Coordinates of all heavy atoms in Angstrom, one line a residue:
S1 N 92.0 121.5 96.0 CA 91.8 120.5 94.9 C 90.6 119.7 95.2 O 90.2 119.4 96.3 CB 93.1 119.6 94.8 OG 93.2 118.9 96.0
Q2 N 89.9 119.3 94.1 CA 88.7 118.5 94.1 C 89.1 117.0 94.5 O 90.1 116.5 94.0 CB 88.0 118.4 92.8 CG 87.5 119.8 92.4 CD 86.0 119.9 92.6 OE1 85.4 119.0 92.9 NE2 85.5 121.1 92.5
P3 N 88.3 116.3 95.3 CA 88.7 114.9 95.6 C 88.5 114.1 94.4 O 87.5 114.2 93.6 CB 87.7 114.6 96.7 CG 86.5 115.5 96.6 CD 87.1 116.8 96.0
G4 N 89.4 113.1 94.2 CA 89.3 112.2 93.0 C 88.4 111.1 93.2 O 87.8 111.0 94.3
P5 N 88.2 110.3 92.2 CA 87.3 109.1 92.4 C 87.8 108.2 93.4 O 89.0 108.1 93.7 CB 87.3 108.5 91.0 CG 88.6 108.9 90.4 CD 88.9 110.3 90.9
P6 N 86.9 107.4 94.1 CA 87.4 106.5 95.1 C 88.3 105.5 94.5 O 88.2 105.0 93.4 CB 86.1 105.8 95.6 CG 85.0 106.1 94.6 CD 85.5 107.3 93.9
A7 N 89.3 105.1 95.3 CA 90.3 104.1 94.8 C 89.7 102.7 94.8 O 88.9 102.4 95.6 CB 91.5 104.1 95.8
K8 N 90.1 102.0 93.7 CA 89.6 100.6 93.5 C 90.3 99.8 94.6 O 91.6 99.8 94.7 CB 90.0 100.2 92.1 CG 89.5 98.8 91.8 CD 89.8 98.4 90.4 CE 89.5 97.0 90.1 NZ 89.8 96.6 88.7
P9 N 89.6 98.9 95.3 CA 90.2 98.1 96.3 C 91.1 97.0 95.6 O 90.8 96.6 94.5 CB 89.0 97.5 97.0 CG 87.9 97.5 96.1 CD 88.1 98.7 95.2
P10 N 92.1 96.6 96.3 CA 93.0 95.6 95.7 C 92.2 94.2 95.6 O 91.3 94.0 96.4 CB 94.2 95.5 96.7 CG 93.6 96.0 98.0 CD 92.6 97.1 97.6
R11 N 92.6 93.4 94.7 CA 91.9 92.1 94.5 C 91.9 91.3 95.8 O 90.9 90.5 96.0 CB 92.6 91.3 93.4 CG 92.3 91.8 92.1 CD 92.8 90.9 91.0 NE 92.5 91.4 89.7 CZ 92.3 90.7 88.7 NH1 92.4 89.4 88.7 NH2 92.0 91.3 87.5
S12 N 92.9 91.4 96.6 CA 93.0 90.6 97.8 C 91.9 91.0 98.8 O 91.5 90.2 99.7 CB 94.3 90.7 98.5 OG 94.6 92.1 98.8
A13 N 91.3 92.2 98.6 CA 90.3 92.7 99.5 C 88.9 92.2 99.0 O 87.9 92.4 99.8 CB 90.3 94.2 99.6
L14 N 88.7 91.8 97.8 CA 87.4 91.3 97.3 C 87.1 90.0 97.9 O 87.9 89.1 98.0 CB 87.5 91.2 95.8 CG 87.7 92.5 95.0 CD1 87.8 92.3 93.5 CD2 86.6 93.5 95.3
T15 N 85.8 89.8 98.3 CA 85.3 88.6 98.9 C 84.5 87.8 97.9 O 84.1 88.3 96.8 CB 84.5 89.0 100.1 OG1 83.3 89.6 99.7 CG2 85.2 89.8 101.1
M16 N 84.1 86.6 98.4 CA 83.3 85.7 97.6 C 81.9 86.4 97.3 O 81.3 86.3 96.3 CB 83.1 84.4 98.3 CG 82.3 83.4 97.5 SD 82.9 83.0 95.9 CE 84.3 81.9 96.4
R17 N 81.5 87.2 98.3 CA 80.2 87.9 98.2 C 80.3 88.9 97.1 O 79.3 89.1 96.4 CB 79.9 88.5 99.6 CG 78.6 89.2 99.6 CD 78.3 89.6 101.1 NE 77.5 90.8 101.1 CZ 77.2 91.5 102.1 NH1 77.8 91.2 103.3 NH2 76.4 92.5 102.1
D18 N 81.4 89.6 96.9 CA 81.5 90.6 95.8 C 81.4 89.8 94.5 O 80.8 90.3 93.5 CB 82.9 91.3 95.9 CG 83.0 92.2 97.2 OD1 81.9 92.7 97.6 OD2 84.0 92.2 97.8
M19 N 82.1 88.7 94.4 CA 82.1 87.9 93.1 C 80.7 87.4 92.8 O 80.2 87.5 91.6 CB 83.0 86.7 93.2 CG 83.1 86.0 91.9 SD 84.2 84.5 92.0 CE 85.7 85.2 92.6
I20 N 79.9 86.9 93.8 CA 78.6 86.4 93.5 C 77.7 87.6 93.1 O 76.9 87.5 92.2 CB 78.0 85.7 94.8 CG1 78.8 84.4 95.0 CG2 76.5 85.5 94.7 CD1 78.5 83.7 96.3
G21 N 77.9 88.7 93.8 CA 77.1 89.9 93.4 C 77.3 90.3 91.9 O 76.4 90.7 91.2
A22 N 78.6 90.3 91.5 CA 78.9 90.6 90.1 C 78.3 89.6 89.1 O 77.8 90.0 88.1 CB 80.4 90.7 89.9
L23 N 78.3 88.3 89.5 CA 77.7 87.3 88.6 C 76.2 87.5 88.5 O 75.6 87.3 87.5 CB 78.1 85.9 89.1 CG 79.5 85.5 88.9 CD1 79.8 84.2 89.6 CD2 79.9 85.4 87.4
V24 N 75.6 87.8 89.6 CA 74.1 88.0 89.6 C 73.8 89.2 88.7 O 72.8 89.1 87.9 CB 73.6 88.3 91.0 CG1 72.1 88.8 91.0 CG2 73.6 87.0 91.8
V25 N 74.5 90.3 88.8 CA 74.3 91.5 87.9 C 74.5 91.1 86.5 O 73.7 91.4 85.6 CB 75.2 92.6 88.3 CG1 75.1 93.7 87.3 CG2 74.8 93.2 89.7
L26 N 75.5 90.3 86.2 CA 75.8 89.9 84.8 C 74.7 89.0 84.3 O 74.2 89.1 83.1 CB 77.1 89.1 84.7 CG 77.6 88.7 83.3 CD1 77.7 89.8 82.4 CD2 78.9 87.9 83.5
A27 N 74.2 88.0 85.1 CA 73.1 87.1 84.7 C 71.9 87.9 84.4 O 71.1 87.6 83.4 CB 72.9 86.1 85.8
L28 N 71.5 88.9 85.2 CA 70.4 89.8 84.9 C 70.5 90.5 83.6 O 69.5 90.6 82.9 CB 70.1 90.7 86.1 CG 69.7 90.1 87.4 CD1 69.7 91.1 88.5 CD2 68.3 89.5 87.3
V29 N 71.7 91.0 83.3 CA 71.9 91.7 82.0 C 71.7 90.8 80.9 O 71.0 91.1 79.9 CB 73.3 92.4 82.0 CG1 73.6 92.9 80.6 CG2 73.4 93.5 83.0
V30 N 72.2 89.6 80.9 CA 72.1 88.6 79.9 C 70.6 88.2 79.7 O 70.1 88.1 78.6 CB 73.0 87.4 80.1 CG1 72.6 86.2 79.2 CG2 74.4 87.7 80.0
L31 N 69.9 87.9 80.8 CA 68.5 87.5 80.7 C 67.7 88.7 80.1 O 66.7 88.4 79.3 CB 68.0 87.1 82.0 CG 68.5 85.8 82.6 CD1 68.0 85.6 84.0 CD2 68.0 84.7 81.7
A32 N 67.9 89.9 80.5 CA 67.2 91.0 80.0 C 67.4 91.2 78.5 O 66.5 91.4 77.7 CB 67.6 92.3 80.7
A33 N 68.7 91.1 78.1 CA 69.0 91.2 76.6 C 68.4 90.1 75.8 O 67.8 90.3 74.8 CB 70.5 91.2 76.4
G34 N 68.4 88.9 76.3 CA 67.8 87.7 75.7 C 66.3 87.9 75.6 O 65.6 87.6 74.6
G35 N 65.7 88.4 76.7 CA 64.2 88.6 76.7 C 63.8 89.6 75.7 O 62.7 89.5 75.1

């Protein structure tokens, strides 16, 4: 059998660094769309 997609980590495993990274990516998308 083919290996499936990697499992999503549980919320308890996400760190503040992961959240800040997601916000930075979102801010870049908004600025690009506005520009």
Side-chain angles (χ1 to χ4, degrees):
S1 61
Q2 297 258 352
K8 182 178 175 184
R11 285 189 181 210
S12 60
L14 296 176
T15 65
M16 182 62 74
R17 187 170 150 192
D18 296 323
M19 185 183 303
I20 291 172
L23 288 174
V24 167
V25 170
L26 181 61
L28 290 173
V29 169
V30 169
L31 288 173

